[in-house]
Amino acid sequence: SMKMSEESKKKMRRAKRSVMKPVYCEETDTVYESTYEAARELHVDRANLSRACKSKTHYVCGYHVTYAECQSK
C-alpha cells in the first residue's frame, strides 16, 4: 500500500477545501457549491476559475467570480 507524506496529506486537504469553496458569479447571480460545479456550469477551466476568484479582477471568460464567503451582497 502507498504511504503518503504529511506534506502530501496537507496538500490534499488544502486542495479539497478549495474545491468545496462556494463560488458566486455576478453575471448569473448564482452561488455554486464548489469551484468544480461553477466551472462545469460556466464552461470554464477550474484552475482558471480558482485563479480568478483569488485575483484582484475576479474575471474569467466574461464572468466575474468570487469565493462566496468573501462576497457581500
Side-chain angles (χ1 to χ4, degrees), residues 17-18 20-24 31 33 66-72:
R17 257 203 310 274
S18 71
M20 291 315 292
K21 275 186 182 173
V23 173
Y24 172 74
V31 175
E33 67 179 27
T66 53
Y67 287 125
E69 62 256 24
C70 309
Q71 160 65 20
S72 53

Side-chain angles (χ1 to χ4, degrees), residues 5 13 15 20 29 31 33 39 41 46-47 58-59 70-71:
S5 71
R13 278 195 296 269
M20 291 315 292
D29 194 32
V31 175
E33 67 179 27
E41 294 290 319
R46 194 171 66 77
H58 301 290
Y59 193 75
C70 309
Q71 160 65 20

